């Protein structure tokens, strides 16, 4: 049985060249990428040639000149945010893009503080620090797994959770370099890998946490 | 003289700022409120700045804070495909995403679909169906069943041409004949 995170979020990050000003709720409404009522009730934070930020109940969008980010904190919306990105860049299909990040962030609650410590000791043994530090404790650990095809990597960051006590924060960044800066290549990766990447991220977290179960 | 210059400078600055559209509630982003919900950023950090070049610059950076007004705890998650719309009813095929391999055919009332999604409910349309608890910001928990239809732009002529070409080439490579 997979462990269920207390907080489960995901985000899609695209690096390339964007015109932030067009990323306005009205544009999404006109292109039928969101419901009309959602566009009307969007919380608009900034609309400017250099940055555009707005949020709906189910996602937040932030676009800068070189970075497009959409994120959600509800598992129910993992599919819809992928549709939103696919829809957006199927319309803006001449946008040059150079990298895609499909990310998942999870906060797991541990049964006890003992298990929480046990996880820290398991993932970062303290023996090597004894004699030079008094009370060494894990603050952050990053592990990277390079990938050749498609080029990129999976990067896992583990920290004590600042949201759940006692809890563990696990972030999985699945990074893809986009061949020829071609948006169609990016869309194909997103279309073909989104579900798989989310599952893999969950498996990584489960694999690690179950070591101390 | 100095005061005049200062006044002009302030006026110029205000003019520039007023040209932006910035919500009055927006607070400047500080380190301590980055990633409050989904992220995990330390309140205070004394790490070396990236500009020193001591650490590799992040290629893909996770976004900042996002505070939804409710949290949804998924109990069951389905992906469905519309098979038929008949009168007030919708017949669909659903796959349980929480139990791989589970497929079922269901019929539900059109009333279950949000009004603005009803025009999307056509034969072959794909939708997400989530059942779970919605925890509102005021602490109230609600049991919720929510249907959301996929919103993907229609196929363009060039997409159809390219798919046809790809299919033909695949067919040829397999030695299939029409």
């Amino acid at each position: 049985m997979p462990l269920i995170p207390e907080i489960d979020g995901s985000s899609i990050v695209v690096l390339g060249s964007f015109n932030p000003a067009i990323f306005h709720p009205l544009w999404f409404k006109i292109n039928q990428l969101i419901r009309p009522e959602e566009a009307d009730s969007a919380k608009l934070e900034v609309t400017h040639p250099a940055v555009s930020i707005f949020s709906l109940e189910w996602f937040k969008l932030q676009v800068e000149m070189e970075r497009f980010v959409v994120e959600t904190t509800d598992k129910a919306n993992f599919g819809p945010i992928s549709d939103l990105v696919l829809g957006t860049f199927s319309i803006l299909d001449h946008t040059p893009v150079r990298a895609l990040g499909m990310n998942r962030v999870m906060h797991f609650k541990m049964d006890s503080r003992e298990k929480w410590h046990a996880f820290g000791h398991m993932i970062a043994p303290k023996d090597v620090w004894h004699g030079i530090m008094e009370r060494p404790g894990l603050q952050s650990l990053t592990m990277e797994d390079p990938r050749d095809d498609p080029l990129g990597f999976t990067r896992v960051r583990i920290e004590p959770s600042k949201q759940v006590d006692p809890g563990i924060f696990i972030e999985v960044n699945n990074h893809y370099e986009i061949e020829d800066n071609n948006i169609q290549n990016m869309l194909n990766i997103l279309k073909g890998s989104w579900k798989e990447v989310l599952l893999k991220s969950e498996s990584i977290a489960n694999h690690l946490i179950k070591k101390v179960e | 003289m100095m005061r005049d210059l200062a006044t002009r400078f302030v006026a110029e600055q205000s003019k520039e700022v007023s040209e932006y559209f910035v919500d009055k509630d927006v607070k400047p982003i500080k380190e301590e409120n980055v990633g409050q919900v989904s992220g995990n950023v330390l309140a205070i950090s004394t790490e070396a700045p990236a500009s020193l070049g001591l650490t590799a610059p992040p290629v893909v950076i996770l976004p900042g804070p996002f505070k939804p007004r409710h949290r949804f705890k998924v109990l069951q998650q389905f992906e469905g495909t519309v098979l038929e719309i008949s009168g007030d009813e919708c017949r669909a095929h659903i796959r349980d995403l929480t139990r791989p391999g589970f497929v079922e055919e269901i019929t539900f009332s059109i009333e279950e679909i949000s009004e603005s999604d009803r025009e999307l409910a056509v034969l072959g349309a794909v939708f997400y169906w989530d059942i779970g608890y919605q925890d509102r910001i005021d602490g109230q928990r609600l049991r919720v069943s929510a249907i959301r239809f996929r919103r993907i732009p229609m196929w363009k002529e060039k997409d159809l041409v390219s798919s046809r070409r790809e299919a033909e080439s695949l067919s040829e490579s397999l030695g299939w004949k029409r």
Side-chain angles (χ1 to χ4, degrees):
Chain A
M1 205 44 193
L3 299 164
I4 297 172
E6 288 290 304
I7 300 173
D8 198 354
S10 71
S11 64
I12 299 172
V13 180
V14 185
L15 302 184
S17 294
F18 309 106
N19 175 9
I22 67 164
F23 295 94
H24 187 280
L26 267 178
W27 183 86
F28 287 89
K29 174 180 166 179
I30 289 164
N31 287 293
Q32 299 190 324
L33 296 171
I34 58 175
R35 295 173 179 152
E37 297 87 345
E38 290 174 330
D40 299 340
S41 63
K43 182 171 166 34
L44 198 59
E45 294 186 8
V46 183
T47 299
H48 178 264
V51 61
S52 184
I53 307 173
F54 74 86
S55 56
L56 306 188
E57 281 293 326
W58 59 281
F59 72 84
K60 179 180 179 180
L61 183 92
Q62 179 165 338
V63 186
E64 294 150 33
M65 292 167 89
E66 295 190 340
R67 198 163 71 108
F68 169 102
V69 182
V70 60
E71 68 167 322
T72 182
T73 51
D74 272 340
K75 193 179 178 185
N77 298 322
F78 288 0
I81 65 160
S82 150
D83 292 343
L84 187 79
V85 178
L86 289 171
T88 300
F89 292 108
S90 297
I91 295 164
L92 303 172
D93 60 353
H94 291 293
T95 309
V97 293
R98 59 185 173 84
L100 167 71
M102 296 186 268
N103 310 302
R104 187 158 180 181
V105 290
M106 295 159 279
H107 294 257
F108 292 92
K109 189 167 178 63
M110 299 304 276
D111 297 342
S112 63
R113 203 156 287 282
E114 287 69 37
K115 271 197 179 169
W116 182 74
H117 280 300
F119 181 83
H121 295 325
M122 182 270 297
I123 210 88
K126 306 298 177 301
D127 294 354
V128 69
W129 300 101
H130 287 147
I132 194 73
M133 286 179 94
E134 289 293 320
R135 291 188 300 152
L138 173 68
Q139 279 302 313
S140 187
L141 180 144
T142 304
M143 191 65 76
E144 188 174 298
D145 185 16
R147 181 187 339 99
D148 293 331
D149 188 23
L151 191 63
F153 54 79
T154 298
R155 189 180 284 167
V156 181
R157 185 160 63 99
I158 299 167
E159 294 181 357
S161 173
K162 309 291 183 298
Q163 310 279 339
V164 177
D165 186 34
I168 293 162
F169 167 80
I170 299 183
E171 172 198 301
V172 184
N173 167 218
N174 299 278
H175 175 94
Y176 292 79
E177 293 290 324
I178 305 302
E179 210 180 325
D180 304 327
N181 289 359
N182 184 326
I183 198 151
Q184 202 52 54
N185 292 335
M186 187 277 279
L187 293 175
N188 288 341
I189 292 173
L190 180 59
K191 217 182 293 177
S193 310
W194 177 240
K195 284 182 191 168
E196 181 196 325
V197 153
L198 292 176
L199 282 174
K200 187 186 166 194
S201 305
E202 196 176 292
S203 303
I204 292 172
N206 273 280
H207 170 82
L208 295 173
I209 292 181
K210 280 188 173 166
K211 298 266 181 204
V212 290
E213 283 292 292
Chain B
M1 181 66 181
M2 283 297 282
R3 186 172 292 172
D4 283 348
L5 276 174
T7 312
R8 269 171 54 199
F9 177 74
V10 169
E12 282 300 311
Q13 292 293 308
S14 318
K15 188 178 150 199
E16 271 183 34
V17 170
S18 67
E19 283 169 6
Y20 304 166
F21 176 31
V22 180
D23 190 285
K24 62 179 176 14
D25 294 333
V26 174
K27 306 282 187 299
I29 296 172
K30 295 175 185 166
E31 193 169 11
E32 65 265 29
N33 58 18
V34 169
Q36 274 178 349
V37 175
S38 56
N40 202 46
V41 175
L42 281 170
I44 302 165
S45 164
T46 50
E47 289 175 350
S51 56
L52 289 178
L54 299 175
T55 53
V59 181
V60 175
I61 306 162
L62 284 168
F66 173 37
K67 289 184 177 176
R69 277 175 285 183
H70 66 259
R71 192 168 287 289
F72 191 74
K73 185 173 183 185
V74 175
L75 296 176
Q76 264 188 305
Q77 207 170 18
F78 301 94
E79 194 173 288
T81 308
V82 174
L83 298 174
E84 188 187 9
I85 301 280
S86 164
D88 300 343
E89 292 193 329
C90 176
R91 191 163 63 85
H93 224 178
I94 54 164
R95 285 190 307 118
D96 188 341
L97 302 180
T98 49
R99 275 190 295 167
F102 180 88
V103 180
E104 203 178 15
E105 195 176 303
I106 57 159
T107 303
F108 58 93
S109 167
I110 295 283
E111 287 291 317
E112 296 283 329
I113 304 171
S114 306
E115 257 180 55
S116 43
D117 274 9
R118 284 187 199 162
E119 62 177 27
L120 303 172
V122 294
L123 181 67
V126 177
F127 61 91
Y128 303 106
W129 179 25
D130 297 291
I131 298 170
Y133 294 125
Q134 187 186 81
D135 290 324
R136 288 196 323 213
I137 201 160
D138 60 4
Q140 179 63 54
R141 172 168 277 195
L142 304 171
R143 195 180 170 91
V144 170
S145 161
I147 291 175
R148 174 179 286 274
F149 274 77
R150 291 189 77 178
R151 289 174 175 266
I152 301 226
M154 298 296 284
W155 288 88
K156 293 177 189 166
E157 184 55 29
K158 67 172 187 177
D159 297 324
L160 296 173
V161 169
S162 118
S163 297
R164 204 171 293 133
R165 207 172 290 148
E166 200 178 323
E168 278 166 10
S169 134
L170 185 64
S171 165
E172 258 174 46
S173 69
L174 292 170
W176 291 355
K177 288 178 186 168
R178 287 188 177 183

